[in-house]
Amino acid sequence: GNNLTKEDVFLSSAKADIETLLLNKLINQQAELHTEAPVTTLEDLQKLGFLQMTNIYIPDNFLLTKEAVLFLFNRYDIAPYAVGEIVIEVPYEEIGYYLKLT
């Protein structure tokens, strides 16, 4: 019954790779939501209010599910309050290489 931290779960050497994966997932997620204008780059995300005051990072809040890791960003973490909480889902097929617990 101990809480797992990101240091317990993710390889420290994979930090940059995981952050790139999260950024690409966020771009894809927002592209699906904003079909009126293409969202394909960090700059496109920033036009929507994302990542204006911080870079993408591995949050302390994550959930290990049966099929994926869910990364949970609270309001204001990476986007304006109005966007709400952001949940980025990464299947184990894509992130498994970067996990300590495989």
Side-chain angles (χ1 to χ4, degrees), residues 16-84:
D17 292 331
I18 295 170
E19 289 171 348
T20 299
L21 184 59
L22 289 173
L23 179 60
N24 290 330
K25 288 288 187 183
L26 181 61
I27 288 170
N28 292 337
Q29 181 185 76
Q30 293 306 308
E32 289 178 15
L33 293 174
H34 298 278
T35 56
E36 71 283 352
V39 180
T40 59
T41 65
L42 172 60
E43 291 77 22
D44 294 335
L45 283 176
Q46 289 172 330
K47 289 177 188 174
L48 295 172
F50 288 84
L51 301 171
Q52 292 186 343
M53 302 180 82
T54 187
N55 295 321
I56 195 74
Y57 59 90
I58 303 168
D60 292 328
N61 298 322
F62 61 90
L63 178 63
L64 303 174
T65 70
K66 186 175 180 179
E67 302 193 9
V69 180
L70 303 179
F71 294 91
L72 314 167
F73 293 91
N74 294 316
R75 294 174 188 265
Y76 290 123
D77 282 354
I78 61 172
Y81 182 87
V83 173

